[in-house]
Amino acid sequence: MTKPIIHIVAGGPRNLIPDLSLFIDHPVLWAGVDHGVRTIFQAGIAPHVAVGDFDSISKEEWQQIEKKVPAIHKFRPEKDETDMELALLWAVGQTPKKIVIFGATGGRLDHFMANAFLVAAYKQKYPDIMFELIDTNNTISVWLPGMHTIEQDTAKKYVSFIPVFNEVIGLTLSGFKYPLRNHTVPLGSSLCVSNELIRQTGHFSFEKGILMMIRSMD
């Protein structure tokens, strides 16, 4: 059985959410988080599930969700998990090969930081799932030790590597403007910010730690 790709759309600023119609694929399951359900509707896409406390949507919007969304997971506003974490808990339960999150950047910095670290933590728990956060200017992904290959993206030419939770040991970058060889990058270091690929394909590898890769537009 083919593992699905899950696209989660949160309620972040609309101007930072790319055209979702460009991400329609098969098999993809669409999950809306609170206001993100409305964003999916506006893109002409039928969401498979809605998750959240829905305390910030109108009565009319809630009626539309009840009518058009097959599965609804509604929670009380007073809860330990954020709506995004509840959506991630549902998503990993579908045993997907990839989870892509939109609408999780911009706006409130506390939400963005929580989402970024949440994805990193879930990558530790579910190493076989690829996690990405995408907005109009950036693509954020999380990587575990090993050898990895990326392709050049002319739209998002800057590539930054940020250690998460602890130092990254043995980082090697090849095919980059600023290469590295078996380097230890401390937590909080800016050493690997704003690199660029100089070849069509680049490679990075490391022995220990968790690495967040951010690919950005100018």
Side-chain angles (χ1 to χ4, degrees):
M1 182 177 178
T2 302
K3 290 186 176 182
I5 298 170
I6 296 179
H7 289 174
I8 299 174
V9 183
R14 287 294 311 280
N15 64 308
L16 291 179
I17 299 177
D19 182 358
L20 296 180
S21 67
L22 300 176
F23 296 88
I24 295 175
D25 199 355
H26 182 77
V28 167
L29 300 177
W30 289 86
V33 180
D34 206 72
H35 266 300
V37 183
R38 182 177 61 183
T39 303
I40 298 174
F41 282 145
Q42 292 172 344
I45 300 169
H48 298 84
V49 64
V51 180
D53 52 37
F54 304 104
D55 61 346
S56 59
I57 67 170
S58 68
K59 180 180 179 180
E60 291 74 18
E61 289 170 339
W62 175 245
Q63 290 173 342
Q64 185 184 36
I65 291 171
E66 286 188 307
K67 182 179 179 180
K68 295 185 176 181
V69 181
I72 300 172
H73 302 278
K74 188 177 182 180
F75 300 87
R76 292 182 177 182
E78 300 80 14
K79 57 190 183 301
D80 292 333
E81 301 87 358
T82 62
D83 289 344
M84 175 57 70
E85 183 163 11
L86 292 169
L88 277 173
L89 285 169
W90 169 83
V92 297
Q94 313 310 306
T95 60
K97 62 180 179 181
K98 186 176 183 179
I99 297 174
V100 183
I101 302 172
F102 305 91
T105 63
R108 287 179 53 173
L109 287 178
D110 55 344
H111 285 180
F112 166 66
M113 294 295 291
N115 291 335
F117 284 112
L118 187 62
V119 167
Y122 269 65
K123 181 64 178 179
Q124 283 184 294
K125 294 179 183 178
Y126 305 95
D128 295 332
I129 301 175
M130 179 69 183
F131 293 86
E132 288 185 341
L133 290 87
I134 297 179
D135 64 25
T136 53
N137 299 317
N138 309 278
T139 297
I140 302 172
S141 53
V142 184
W143 301 83
L144 299 180
M147 171 69 78
H148 309 288
T149 301
I150 60 171
E151 298 293 326
Q152 197 170 55
D153 184 341
T154 55
K156 297 175 180 176
K157 68 176 184 178
Y158 295 108
V159 185
S160 297
F161 295 98
I162 309 292
V164 182
F165 303 139
N166 213 326
E167 65 183 5
V168 165
I169 297 175
L171 180 61
T172 295
L173 305 177
S174 61
F176 288 83
K177 184 176 181 179
Y178 306 108
L180 281 179
R181 178 72 178 175
N182 197 28
H183 198 89
T184 295
V185 185
L187 181 66
S189 171
S190 61
L191 173 68
C192 298
V193 172
S194 293
N195 211 331
E196 299 177 49
L197 283 170
I198 56 174
R199 301 173 186 163
Q200 184 62 37
T201 301
H203 305 277
F204 66 97
S205 62
F206 57 105
E207 300 171 6
K208 187 176 180 180
I210 303 175
L211 204 57
M212 184 172 288
M213 180 174 69
I214 305 174
R215 309 192 69 170
S216 305
M217 296 178 65
D218 197 354

